Coordinates of all heavy atoms in Angstrom, one line a residue:
M265 N -8.5 -8.3 -8.4 CA -7.7 -7.2 -8.5 C -7.0 -6.9 -7.1 O -7.8 -6.7 -6.2 CB -8.4 -6.0 -9.0 CG -7.6 -4.8 -9.3 SD -8.7 -3.6 -10.1 CE -7.6 -2.3 -10.4
F266 N -5.7 -6.9 -7.1 CA -5.0 -6.7 -5.9 C -5.3 -7.7 -4.8 O -5.4 -7.3 -3.6 CB -5.1 -5.2 -5.4 CG -4.7 -4.2 -6.5 CD1 -5.7 -3.5 -7.1 CD2 -3.4 -4.1 -6.8 CE1 -5.3 -2.6 -8.2 CE2 -3.0 -3.2 -7.7 CZ -3.9 -2.5 -8.4
S267 N -5.4 -8.9 -5.2 CA -5.7 -10.0 -4.2 C -4.3 -10.6 -3.8 O -3.3 -10.4 -4.4 CB -6.5 -11.0 -4.9 OG -5.8 -11.7 -6.0
V268 N -4.4 -11.5 -2.8 CA -3.2 -12.2 -2.4 C -2.7 -13.1 -3.5 O -1.5 -13.1 -3.8 CB -3.5 -13.1 -1.1 CG1 -2.3 -14.0 -0.8 CG2 -3.9 -12.2 0.1
K269 N -3.6 -13.8 -4.2 CA -3.2 -14.6 -5.3 C -2.5 -13.8 -6.4 O -1.5 -14.2 -6.9 CB -4.5 -15.3 -5.9 CG -4.2 -16.2 -7.1 CD -5.5 -16.9 -7.6 CE -5.2 -17.8 -8.8 NZ -6.4 -18.3 -9.3
E270 N -3.1 -12.7 -6.8 CA -2.4 -11.8 -7.8 C -1.0 -11.4 -7.3 O 0.0 -11.4 -8.1 CB -3.3 -10.6 -8.1 CG -2.6 -9.6 -9.0 CD -3.4 -8.3 -9.1 OE1 -3.4 -7.5 -8.2 OE2 -4.1 -8.2 -10.2
T271 N -0.9 -11.0 -6.0 CA 0.3 -10.5 -5.5 C 1.4 -11.6 -5.6 O 2.5 -11.4 -5.9 CB 0.2 -10.0 -4.0 OG1 -0.9 -9.1 -4.0 CG2 1.4 -9.4 -3.5
R272 N 1.0 -12.8 -5.2 CA 1.9 -14.0 -5.3 C 2.4 -14.2 -6.8 O 3.6 -14.6 -7.0 CB 1.3 -15.2 -4.8 CG 1.2 -15.2 -3.3 CD 0.6 -16.5 -2.7 NE 0.6 -16.4 -1.3 CZ -0.4 -16.9 -0.6 NH1 -1.5 -17.5 -1.1 NH2 -0.4 -16.9 0.7
E273 N 1.5 -14.0 -7.7 CA 1.9 -14.2 -9.1 C 2.9 -13.1 -9.5 O 3.9 -13.4 -10.2 CB 0.7 -14.1 -10.0 CG 1.0 -14.2 -11.5 CD 1.8 -15.4 -11.9 OE1 1.6 -16.5 -11.3 OE2 2.5 -15.3 -12.9
Y274 N 2.7 -11.9 -9.1 CA 3.7 -10.8 -9.4 C 5.0 -11.1 -8.7 O 6.1 -11.0 -9.3 CB 3.2 -9.5 -8.9 CG 2.4 -8.7 -9.9 CD1 1.1 -9.1 -10.2 CD2 2.9 -7.6 -10.6 CE1 0.3 -8.4 -11.1 CE2 2.1 -7.0 -11.5 CZ 0.8 -7.4 -11.8 OH 0.0 -6.7 -12.7
A275 N 5.0 -11.6 -7.5 CA 6.2 -12.0 -6.7 C 7.0 -13.1 -7.5 O 8.2 -13.1 -7.6 CB 5.9 -12.4 -5.3
R276 N 6.2 -14.1 -7.9 CA 6.8 -15.2 -8.7 C 7.6 -14.7 -9.9 O 8.7 -15.2 -10.2 CB 5.8 -16.2 -9.1 CG 6.3 -17.5 -9.8 CD 5.2 -18.4 -10.3 NE 4.5 -17.8 -11.5 CZ 5.0 -17.6 -12.7 NH1 6.3 -17.9 -12.9 NH2 4.3 -17.0 -13.6
R277 N 7.1 -13.6 -10.5 CA 7.8 -13.1 -11.7 C 8.8 -12.0 -11.3 O 9.5 -11.4 -12.1 CB 6.7 -12.4 -12.5 CG 5.7 -13.3 -13.1 CD 4.8 -12.6 -14.2 NE 4.7 -11.2 -14.1 CZ 3.6 -10.5 -14.0 NH1 2.5 -11.2 -13.8 NH2 3.6 -9.2 -13.9
G278 N 9.0 -11.8 -9.9 CA 10.0 -10.8 -9.5 C 9.5 -9.4 -9.8 O 10.3 -8.5 -10.1
A279 N 8.2 -9.1 -9.7 CA 7.6 -7.9 -10.1 C 6.8 -7.2 -9.0 O 5.7 -6.6 -9.3 CB 6.7 -8.1 -11.4
I280 N 7.1 -7.4 -7.8 CA 6.4 -6.7 -6.6 C 6.4 -5.2 -6.8 O 5.4 -4.6 -6.5 CB 7.0 -7.1 -5.3 CG1 6.7 -8.6 -5.0 CG2 6.5 -6.3 -4.1 CD1 5.2 -8.9 -4.9
E281 N 7.5 -4.6 -7.2 CA 7.5 -3.2 -7.4 C 6.4 -2.8 -8.4 O 5.7 -1.8 -8.2 CB 8.9 -2.6 -7.8 CG 8.9 -1.2 -8.0 CD 10.3 -0.6 -8.3 OE1 11.2 -1.4 -8.7 OE2 10.4 0.6 -8.2
E282 N 6.3 -3.5 -9.5 CA 5.3 -3.2 -10.5 C 3.9 -3.3 -9.9 O 3.1 -2.4 -10.1 CB 5.4 -4.2 -11.7 CG 4.4 -4.0 -12.8 CD 4.5 -5.0 -13.8 OE1 5.5 -5.8 -13.9 OE2 3.5 -5.2 -14.6
W283 N 3.7 -4.3 -9.1 CA 2.4 -4.5 -8.4 C 2.1 -3.3 -7.6 O 1.0 -2.7 -7.6 CB 2.4 -5.8 -7.6 CG 1.1 -6.0 -6.9 CD1 0.0 -6.7 -7.4 CD2 0.7 -5.6 -5.6 NE1 -1.0 -6.7 -6.4 CE2 -0.6 -6.0 -5.3 CE3 1.4 -4.8 -4.6 CZ2 -1.3 -5.7 -4.1 CZ3 0.7 -4.5 -3.4 CH2 -0.6 -5.0 -3.2
F284 N 3.1 -2.9 -6.7 CA 2.9 -1.8 -5.8 C 2.6 -0.5 -6.5 O 1.8 0.3 -6.2 CB 4.0 -1.7 -4.8 CG 3.8 -0.8 -3.7 CD1 2.6 -0.7 -3.1 CD2 4.8 -0.1 -3.1 CE1 2.3 0.1 -2.0 CE2 4.7 0.8 -2.0 CZ 3.4 0.8 -1.5
Q285 N 3.4 -0.2 -7.6 CA 3.3 1.0 -8.4 C 1.9 1.1 -9.0 O 1.3 2.1 -9.1 CB 4.4 1.1 -9.4 CG 5.8 1.5 -8.8 CD 5.9 2.9 -8.2 OE1 5.0 3.7 -8.4 NE2 6.9 3.1 -7.4
T286 N 1.5 -0.1 -9.6 CA 0.2 -0.1 -10.2 C -0.9 0.2 -9.1 O -1.9 0.9 -9.4 CB -0.1 -1.5 -10.8 OG1 0.9 -1.7 -11.8 CG2 -1.4 -1.6 -11.5
F287 N -0.8 -0.4 -7.9 CA -1.7 -0.1 -6.9 C -1.8 1.3 -6.5 O -2.9 1.9 -6.5 CB -1.3 -1.0 -5.6 CG -2.2 -0.6 -4.4 CD1 -3.4 -1.3 -4.3 CD2 -1.8 0.3 -3.5 CE1 -4.2 -1.0 -3.2 CE2 -2.6 0.6 -2.4 CZ -3.8 0.0 -2.2
L288 N -0.6 2.0 -6.4 CA -0.6 3.4 -6.0 C -1.1 4.3 -7.0 O -1.7 5.3 -6.7 CB 0.9 3.8 -5.7 CG 1.5 3.2 -4.4 CD1 3.0 3.6 -4.3 CD2 0.8 3.7 -3.2
T289 N -1.0 3.9 -8.3 CA -1.4 4.8 -9.3 C -2.9 4.5 -9.8 O -3.4 5.2 -10.7 CB -0.5 4.8 -10.5 OG1 -0.4 3.5 -11.0 CG2 0.9 5.4 -10.1
T290 N -3.5 3.6 -9.2 CA -4.9 3.3 -9.5 C -5.7 3.4 -8.2 O -5.9 4.4 -7.7 CB -5.1 1.9 -10.2 OG1 -4.6 0.8 -9.3 CG2 -4.3 1.8 -11.5
V291 N -6.2 2.2 -7.7 CA -7.1 2.3 -6.6 C -6.4 2.8 -5.3 O -7.1 3.3 -4.4 CB -7.7 0.9 -6.3 CG1 -8.6 0.5 -7.5 CG2 -6.7 -0.2 -6.0
G292 N -5.1 2.7 -5.2 CA -4.5 3.2 -4.0 C -4.4 4.7 -4.0 O -4.2 5.4 -2.9
D293 N -4.6 5.4 -5.1 CA -4.8 6.8 -5.3 C -3.7 7.6 -4.6 O -4.0 8.5 -3.8 CB -6.2 7.2 -4.9 CG -6.5 8.7 -5.2 OD1 -6.0 9.1 -6.3 OD2 -7.3 9.3 -4.5
N294 N -2.5 7.2 -4.8 CA -1.4 8.0 -4.2 C -0.2 8.1 -5.2 O 0.9 7.6 -4.9 CB -0.9 7.2 -2.9 CG -0.1 8.2 -2.0 OD1 0.4 9.2 -2.4 ND2 -0.1 7.8 -0.7
P295 N -0.4 8.9 -6.2 CA 0.6 9.1 -7.2 C 1.9 9.8 -6.7 O 3.0 9.5 -7.1 CB 0.0 9.9 -8.4 CG -1.2 10.5 -7.7 CD -1.7 9.6 -6.6
A296 N 1.7 10.6 -5.6 CA 2.8 11.3 -5.1 C 3.8 10.3 -4.4 O 5.0 10.4 -4.5 CB 2.4 12.4 -4.0
L297 N 3.2 9.3 -3.7 CA 4.1 8.3 -3.1 C 4.7 7.5 -4.2 O 5.9 7.2 -4.1 CB 3.2 7.4 -2.1 CG 4.0 6.2 -1.5 CD1 5.2 6.7 -0.7 CD2 3.1 5.4 -0.6
S298 N 4.0 7.1 -5.2 CA 4.5 6.4 -6.3 C 5.8 7.1 -6.9 O 6.8 6.5 -7.0 CB 3.5 6.2 -7.4 OG 4.1 5.7 -8.6
E299 N 5.7 8.4 -7.1 CA 6.8 9.2 -7.7 C 7.9 9.3 -6.7 O 9.1 9.2 -7.0 CB 6.3 10.5 -8.1 CG 5.4 10.5 -9.4 CD 6.1 9.8 -10.5 OE1 7.2 10.1 -10.8 OE2 5.4 9.0 -11.2
G300 N 7.6 9.5 -5.4 CA 8.6 9.6 -4.4 C 9.4 8.3 -4.2 O 10.6 8.4 -4.0
L301 N 8.8 7.2 -4.4 CA 9.5 5.9 -4.2 C 10.5 5.7 -5.4 O 11.4 4.9 -5.3 CB 8.5 4.7 -4.2 CG 7.7 4.7 -2.9 CD1 6.6 3.6 -3.0 CD2 8.5 4.4 -1.7
K302 N 10.2 6.3 -6.5 CA 11.1 6.2 -7.7 C 12.4 7.0 -7.5 O 13.3 6.9 -8.4 CB 10.3 6.6 -8.9 CG 9.2 5.6 -9.2 CD 8.4 6.2 -10.5 CE 7.1 5.4 -10.7 NZ 6.3 6.0 -11.8
L303 N 12.5 7.8 -6.5 CA 13.6 8.8 -6.4 C 14.9 8.1 -6.0 O 16.0 8.6 -6.2 CB 13.3 9.9 -5.5 CG 12.2 10.8 -5.9 CD1 11.9 11.9 -4.8 CD2 12.5 11.5 -7.2
Q304 N 14.8 6.9 -5.4 CA 16.0 6.1 -5.1 C 15.8 4.6 -5.2 O 14.6 4.2 -5.3 CB 16.5 6.5 -3.6 CG 15.5 6.1 -2.5 CD 16.0 6.6 -1.2 OE1 17.1 7.0 -1.0 NE2 15.2 6.4 -0.2
K305 N 16.9 3.9 -5.2 CA 16.8 2.4 -5.4 C 16.1 1.8 -4.2 O 16.4 2.2 -3.0 CB 18.2 1.8 -5.5 CG 18.2 0.4 -5.6 CD 17.8 -0.1 -6.9 CE 17.9 -1.7 -7.0 NZ 17.0 -2.3 -7.9
R306 N 15.1 0.9 -4.5 CA 14.4 0.2 -3.4 C 14.6 -1.3 -3.6 O 14.8 -1.7 -4.7 CB 12.9 0.5 -3.5 CG 12.5 2.0 -3.5 CD 12.4 2.5 -2.1 NE 12.2 4.0 -2.1 CZ 12.3 4.7 -1.1 NH1 12.5 4.2 0.1 NH2 12.1 6.0 -1.2
Y307 N 14.4 -2.0 -2.6 CA 14.5 -3.5 -2.6 C 13.2 -4.0 -2.1 O 12.7 -3.8 -1.0 CB 15.6 -4.0 -1.7 CG 17.0 -3.4 -2.2 CD1 17.5 -2.3 -1.7 CD2 17.7 -4.1 -3.2 CE1 18.7 -1.7 -2.1 CE2 18.9 -3.6 -3.7 CZ 19.3 -2.4 -3.1 OH 20.5 -1.9 -3.6
W308 N 12.5 -4.7 -3.0 CA 11.1 -5.2 -2.8 C 11.1 -6.6 -2.4 O 11.8 -7.5 -3.0 CB 10.3 -4.9 -4.1 CG 10.3 -3.5 -4.4 CD1 11.2 -2.8 -5.1 CD2 9.3 -2.5 -4.0 NE1 10.9 -1.5 -5.2 CE2 9.7 -1.3 -4.6 CE3 8.1 -2.6 -3.3 CZ2 8.9 -0.1 -4.4 CZ3 7.3 -1.5 -3.2 CH2 7.8 -0.2 -3.7
V309 N 10.3 -7.0 -1.5 CA 10.1 -8.4 -1.0 C 8.6 -8.6 -0.9 O 7.8 -7.7 -0.7 CB 10.8 -8.7 0.3 CG1 12.3 -8.6 0.1 CG2 10.3 -7.9 1.4
G310 N 8.2 -9.9 -0.9 CA 6.9 -10.2 -0.6 C 6.2 -11.1 -1.6 O 6.8 -11.5 -2.6
P311 N 5.0 -11.5 -1.2 CA 4.3 -11.1 0.0 C 4.9 -11.9 1.2 O 5.4 -13.0 1.0 CB 2.9 -11.5 -0.2 CG 2.9 -12.6 -1.3 CD 4.2 -12.3 -2.1
V312 N 4.9 -11.2 2.3 CA 5.4 -11.9 3.6 C 4.3 -11.7 4.6 O 3.5 -10.7 4.6 CB 6.7 -11.3 4.1 CG1 7.8 -11.6 3.1 CG2 6.6 -9.8 4.3
L313 N 4.2 -12.7 5.5 CA 3.3 -12.7 6.6 C 4.0 -12.1 7.8 O 5.0 -12.6 8.2 CB 2.8 -14.1 6.9 CG 1.5 -14.2 7.7 CD1 0.3 -13.6 7.0 CD2 1.2 -15.7 7.8
I314 N 3.4 -11.0 8.4 CA 4.0 -10.4 9.6 C 2.9 -10.2 10.6 O 1.7 -10.0 10.3 CB 4.8 -9.1 9.3 CG1 3.8 -8.0 8.8 CG2 5.9 -9.3 8.3 CD1 4.4 -6.6 8.7
D315 N 3.4 -10.1 11.8 CA 2.5 -9.7 13.0 C 2.2 -8.2 12.9 O 3.2 -7.4 12.8 CB 3.2 -10.1 14.3 CG 2.3 -9.9 15.5 OD1 1.5 -8.9 15.5 OD2 2.3 -10.8 16.4
V316 N 1.0 -7.8 12.9 CA 0.6 -6.4 12.8 C 1.2 -5.6 13.9 O 1.4 -4.4 13.8 CB -0.9 -6.2 12.6 CG1 -1.4 -6.7 11.3 CG2 -1.6 -6.7 13.8
S317 N 1.6 -6.2 15.0 CA 2.1 -5.4 16.1 C 3.5 -5.0 15.8 O 4.1 -4.1 16.4 CB 2.2 -6.3 17.4 OG 3.1 -7.4 17.3
Q318 N 4.1 -5.5 14.7 CA 5.4 -5.1 14.2 C 5.4 -3.9 13.3 O 6.4 -3.3 13.0 CB 6.1 -6.2 13.5 CG 6.3 -7.5 14.3 CD 7.2 -7.2 15.5 OE1 8.3 -6.7 15.4 NE2 6.7 -7.5 16.7
L319 N 4.2 -3.4 12.9 CA 4.0 -2.3 12.1 C 4.1 -1.0 12.9 O 3.6 -0.9 14.0 CB 2.7 -2.3 11.3 CG 2.5 -3.6 10.4 CD1 1.1 -3.5 9.8 CD2 3.6 -3.6 9.3
H320 N 4.7 0.0 12.3 CA 4.8 1.4 12.9 C 4.0 2.3 12.0 O 4.3 2.5 10.9 CB 6.2 1.8 13.0 CG 6.4 3.2 13.4 ND1 6.2 3.7 14.7 CD2 6.7 4.3 12.6 CE1 6.4 5.0 14.7 NE2 6.7 5.4 13.5
R321 N 3.0 2.9 12.6 CA 2.1 3.9 11.8 C 2.9 5.2 11.7 O 3.4 5.7 12.7 CB 0.8 4.0 12.5 CG -0.2 4.8 11.7 CD -1.6 4.7 12.3 NE -1.7 5.3 13.6 CZ -2.3 6.4 13.9 NH1 -2.9 7.1 12.9 NH2 -2.4 6.9 15.1
C322 N 2.9 5.7 10.5 CA 3.7 7.0 10.2 C 2.7 8.1 9.7 O 3.2 9.2 9.5 CB 4.8 6.7 9.3 SG 4.3 6.2 7.6
C323 N 1.5 7.8 9.5 CA 0.5 8.8 9.1 C -0.8 8.7 9.9 O -1.1 7.6 10.4 CB 0.3 8.7 7.6 SG -0.4 7.1 7.0
G324 N -1.5 9.8 9.9 CA -2.7 9.8 10.7 C -3.1 11.3 11.0 O -2.5 12.2 10.5
R325 N -4.0 11.4 11.8 CA -4.5 12.8 12.2 C -3.7 13.4 13.3 O -3.7 14.6 13.5 CB -6.0 12.7 12.7 CG -6.9 12.2 11.6 CD -8.3 12.1 12.1 NE -9.0 11.2 11.3 CZ -10.1 10.6 11.6 NH1 -10.7 10.9 12.7 NH2 -10.7 9.7 10.7
E326 N -3.0 12.5 14.1 CA -2.3 13.0 15.3 C -1.0 13.9 14.8 O -0.3 13.5 13.9 CB -1.7 11.9 16.1 CG -2.9 11.0 16.6 CD -3.4 10.0 15.7 OE1 -2.9 9.9 14.5 OE2 -4.2 9.2 16.0
P327 N -0.8 15.0 15.4 CA 0.3 15.9 15.0 C 1.7 15.3 15.1 O 2.6 15.7 14.4 CB 0.2 17.1 15.9 CG -0.8 16.7 16.9 CD -1.6 15.6 16.5
E328 N 1.8 14.2 16.0 CA 3.1 13.6 16.1 C 3.5 12.6 15.0 O 4.6 12.1 15.0 CB 3.3 13.0 17.5 CG 2.3 11.8 17.7 CD 1.0 12.2 18.3 OE1 0.7 13.4 18.4 OE2 0.2 11.3 18.7
T329 N 2.5 12.3 14.2 CA 2.8 11.4 13.1 C 3.7 12.1 12.0 O 3.6 13.3 11.8 CB 1.6 10.8 12.4 OG1 0.8 11.9 11.9 CG2 0.8 9.9 13.4
E330 N 4.5 11.3 11.3 CA 5.3 11.9 10.3 C 4.6 12.6 9.1 O 4.9 13.6 8.6 CB 6.2 10.8 9.7 CG 7.3 11.3 8.8 CD 8.3 10.2 8.4 OE1 8.2 9.0 8.9 OE2 9.1 10.5 7.5
F331 N 3.5 11.9 8.7 CA 2.6 12.4 7.6 C 1.2 12.7 8.2 O 0.5 11.7 8.4 CB 2.6 11.4 6.5 CG 4.0 11.1 5.9 CD1 4.6 9.9 6.3 CD2 4.6 12.0 5.1 CE1 5.9 9.6 5.8 CE2 5.9 11.7 4.6 CZ 6.5 10.5 5.0
V332 N 0.9 13.9 8.5 CA -0.3 14.3 9.1 C -1.4 14.5 8.0 O -1.2 15.2 7.1 CB -0.2 15.5 10.0 CG1 -1.5 15.9 10.6 CG2 0.8 15.4 11.0
D333 N -2.5 13.8 8.2 CA -3.7 13.9 7.3 C -4.8 14.7 8.1 O -4.9 14.6 9.3 CB -4.3 12.5 7.1 CG -3.8 11.9 5.8 OD1 -3.2 12.6 5.0 OD2 -3.9 10.6 5.7
S334 N -5.6 15.4 7.3 CA -6.8 16.0 7.9 C -7.8 14.9 8.2 O -7.7 13.8 7.7 CB -7.4 17.0 6.9 OG -7.9 16.3 5.8
A335 N -8.8 15.2 9.0 CA -9.8 14.3 9.4 C -10.6 13.9 8.1 O -10.9 12.7 7.9 CB -10.8 14.9 10.4
E336 N -10.8 14.8 7.2 CA -11.5 14.5 6.0 C -10.7 13.5 5.1 O -11.2 12.6 4.5 CB -11.8 15.8 5.2 CG -12.8 16.7 5.9 CD -12.1 17.6 6.9 OE1 -10.8 17.8 6.9 OE2 -12.7 18.1 7.8
A337 N -9.4 13.8 5.0 CA -8.6 12.9 4.1 C -8.5 11.5 4.8 O -8.6 10.5 4.1 CB -7.1 13.5 4.0
G338 N -8.4 11.5 6.1 CA -8.4 10.2 6.8 C -9.6 9.4 6.5 O -9.6 8.2 6.3
E339 N -10.8 10.0 6.5 CA -12.1 9.3 6.3 C -12.1 8.9 4.8 O -12.6 7.8 4.6 CB -13.3 10.2 6.6 CG -13.4 10.5 8.1 CD -13.6 9.2 8.9 OE1 -14.4 8.3 8.4 OE2 -13.0 9.1 9.9
R340 N -11.6 9.6 3.9 CA -11.6 9.2 2.5 C -10.7 7.9 2.3 O -11.1 7.0 1.6 CB -11.0 10.3 1.6 CG -12.1 11.4 1.3 CD -11.6 12.3 0.1 NE -10.3 12.9 0.3 CZ -10.0 14.0 1.0 NH1 -11.0 14.7 1.5 NH2 -8.8 14.4 1.0
H341 N -9.5 7.9 3.0 CA -8.7 6.8 3.0 C -9.4 5.5 3.5 O -9.3 4.5 2.9 CB -7.4 7.0 3.7 CG -6.5 8.0 3.1 ND1 -6.1 8.0 1.8 CD2 -5.9 9.1 3.7 CE1 -5.3 9.0 1.6 NE2 -5.2 9.7 2.7
I342 N -10.0 5.7 4.7 CA -10.7 4.6 5.3 C -11.8 4.0 4.4 O -11.9 2.8 4.2 CB -11.3 5.0 6.7 CG1 -10.1 5.2 7.7 CG2 -12.3 4.0 7.2 CD1 -10.6 5.9 8.9
E343 N -12.6 4.9 3.8 CA -13.7 4.5 2.9 C -13.1 3.8 1.7 O -13.7 2.8 1.2 CB -14.5 5.7 2.5 CG -15.8 5.3 1.7 CD -16.6 4.3 2.4 OE1 -16.8 4.3 3.7 OE2 -17.2 3.4 1.7
R344 N -12.0 4.3 1.1 CA -11.4 3.7 -0.1 C -11.0 2.3 0.2 O -11.3 1.4 -0.5 CB -10.3 4.5 -0.6 CG -9.8 4.0 -1.9 CD -8.7 4.9 -2.6 NE -7.5 5.0 -1.7 CZ -7.0 6.1 -1.2 NH1 -7.6 7.2 -1.3 NH2 -5.9 6.0 -0.4
F345 N -10.3 2.1 1.4 CA -9.9 0.7 1.7 C -11.1 -0.2 2.1 O -11.1 -1.4 1.8 CB -8.8 0.8 2.8 CG -7.5 1.1 2.3 CD1 -7.0 2.4 2.5 CD2 -6.7 0.2 1.6 CE1 -5.7 2.7 1.9 CE2 -5.5 0.5 1.0 CZ -5.0 1.8 1.2
R346 N -12.1 0.4 2.7 CA -13.3 -0.4 3.0 C -13.9 -0.9 1.7 O -14.3 -2.1 1.6 CB -14.3 0.5 3.8 CG -15.6 -0.3 4.2 CD -16.5 0.6 5.0 NE -16.0 1.0 6.2 CZ -15.9 2.3 6.6 NH1 -16.3 3.3 5.9 NH2 -15.3 2.6 7.8
K347 N -14.0 -0.1 0.7 CA -14.5 -0.4 -0.6 C -13.6 -1.5 -1.2 O -14.2 -2.5 -1.8 CB -14.6 0.8 -1.5 CG -15.3 0.5 -2.8 CD -15.6 1.7 -3.6 CE -16.1 1.6 -5.0 NZ -16.5 0.3 -5.4
L348 N -12.3 -1.3 -1.2 CA -11.4 -2.3 -1.7 C -11.6 -3.7 -1.1 O -11.7 -4.7 -1.8 CB -9.9 -1.9 -1.5 CG -9.4 -0.9 -2.5 CD1 -8.0 -0.5 -2.0 CD2 -9.3 -1.4 -3.9
I349 N -11.8 -3.8 0.2 CA -12.0 -5.0 0.9 C -13.3 -5.6 0.5 O -13.4 -6.8 0.2 CB -11.9 -4.8 2.4 CG1 -10.4 -4.5 2.8 CG2 -12.4 -6.0 3.2 CD1 -10.2 -4.0 4.2
T350 N -14.4 -4.8 0.5 CA -15.7 -5.3 0.1 C -15.7 -5.8 -1.3 O -16.2 -6.9 -1.6 CB -16.7 -4.2 0.3 OG1 -16.7 -3.8 1.7 CG2 -18.1 -4.7 0.0
D351 N -15.2 -5.0 -2.2 CA -15.2 -5.4 -3.7 C -14.4 -6.7 -4.0 O -14.8 -7.5 -4.8 CB -14.7 -4.3 -4.6 CG -15.6 -3.1 -4.6 OD1 -16.8 -3.2 -4.1 OD2 -15.2 -2.0 -5.2
A352 N -13.3 -6.8 -3.2 CA -12.5 -8.0 -3.5 C -12.9 -9.2 -2.7 O -12.3 -10.3 -2.7 CB -11.0 -7.6 -3.1
Q353 N -14.0 -9.1 -1.9 CA -14.4 -10.2 -1.0 C -13.4 -10.6 0.0 O -13.3 -11.7 0.4 CB -14.8 -11.4 -1.9 CG -15.9 -11.1 -2.9 CD -17.2 -10.8 -2.4 OE1 -17.7 -11.5 -1.5 NE2 -17.8 -9.7 -2.8
G354 N -12.6 -9.6 0.4 CA -11.6 -9.9 1.4 C -10.4 -8.9 1.3 O -10.3 -8.2 0.3
P355 N -9.6 -8.8 2.3 CA -8.5 -7.8 2.3 C -7.4 -8.2 1.3 O -7.1 -9.3 1.1 CB -8.0 -7.8 3.7 CG -8.3 -9.1 4.2 CD -9.6 -9.5 3.5
A356 N -6.9 -7.1 0.6 CA -5.8 -7.3 -0.2 C -4.5 -7.3 0.6 O -4.6 -6.8 1.8 CB -5.7 -6.2 -1.3
P357 N -3.4 -7.7 0.1 CA -2.2 -7.6 0.9 C -1.9 -6.1 1.2 O -2.2 -5.2 0.4 CB -1.1 -8.1 -0.1 CG -1.8 -8.9 -1.0 CD -3.2 -8.3 -1.2
L358 N -1.3 -5.9 2.3 CA -0.9 -4.5 2.7 C 0.4 -4.1 2.0 O 1.4 -4.8 2.2 CB -0.7 -4.5 4.2 CG -0.2 -3.1 4.8 CD1 -1.4 -2.1 4.7 CD2 0.2 -3.3 6.2
P359 N 0.3 -3.2 1.1 CA 1.5 -2.8 0.3 C 2.5 -2.3 1.3 O 2.3 -1.5 2.2 CB 1.0 -1.7 -0.6 CG -0.5 -1.9 -0.7 CD -0.9 -2.4 0.7
G360 N 3.8 -2.6 1.0 CA 4.9 -2.1 1.9 C 6.2 -2.3 1.1 O 6.3 -2.9 0.0
F361 N 7.2 -1.6 1.6 CA 8.5 -1.7 0.9 C 9.6 -1.5 2.0 O 9.4 -1.0 3.1 CB 8.6 -0.6 -0.1 CG 8.5 0.8 0.4 CD1 9.6 1.5 0.9 CD2 7.3 1.4 0.6 CE1 9.5 2.8 1.4 CE2 7.1 2.7 1.1 CZ 8.2 3.4 1.5
L362 N 10.8 -1.9 1.6 CA 12.0 -1.7 2.4 C 12.8 -0.6 1.6 O 13.1 -0.8 0.5 CB 12.8 -3.0 2.5 CG 12.1 -4.2 3.1 CD1 13.0 -5.4 3.0 CD2 11.8 -3.8 4.6
G363 N 13.2 0.4 2.3 CA 14.0 1.5 1.7 C 15.4 1.2 1.6 O 16.0 0.3 2.2

C-alpha cells in the first residue's frame, strides 16, 4: 500500500492524482488538503527522483512557515509517517504536486 511499485502502476495508467487523493483521504489523514487541491486544475507528474535539497518546507512548528503546526500535531504527523514506513518495509514515495 502506497509503495513505489504501486505509485509507478498508477503513473502508468495516468492516475497519479487518484493515487495522491487516495493517500490524503486514508493514511495521509489530510482531507482538507485533498479538498483544497480540487479547487483548481492541477498537473500531476511522477514518480520522479529528486534531490531532497531541492525541496522547500512550508509547514512545521516555526512561526515563519506558511502552515504552522502545533508541537502535538507535528509529533502525530511524524509518528504516522514512521508507522507508514515501518508497515511498508520502506518509505513510500513522497506525495507532491505542481500547481
Side-chain angles (χ1 to χ4, degrees):
M265 185 169 181
F266 302 106
S267 66
V268 172
K269 182 179 178 182
E270 177 188 74
T271 307
R272 286 184 178 141
E273 177 57 31
Y274 273 76
R276 187 187 64 71
R277 296 189 339 239
I280 289 295
E281 181 177 14
E282 179 186 345
W283 179 90
F284 192 37
Q285 289 291 347
T286 301
F287 175 83
L288 290 174
T289 57
T290 59
V291 297
D293 191 28
N294 199 337
L297 177 57
S298 171
E299 290 304 313
L301 290 173
K302 295 174 187 175
L303 296 177
Q304 62 183 355
K305 177 71 177 154
R306 307 275 174 186
Y307 300 93
W308 300 82
V309 297
V312 294
L313 197 58
I314 62 168
D315 186 320
V316 294
S317 68
Q318 300 299 307
L319 299 176
H320 170 75
R321 191 165 64 104
C322 63
C323 58
R325 297 178 205 165
E326 300 84 355
E328 65 272 9
T329 57
E330 186 175 353
F331 303 100
V332 179
D333 267 342
S334 67
E336 297 80 21
E339 289 302 317
R340 282 194 308 272
H341 293 308
I342 290 168
E343 186 54 36
R344 186 173 67 241
F345 281 103
R346 183 179 296 125
K347 183 172 176 11
L348 281 172
I349 290 168
T350 302
D351 290 352
Q353 304 293 311
L358 179 66
F361 61 92
L362 301 173

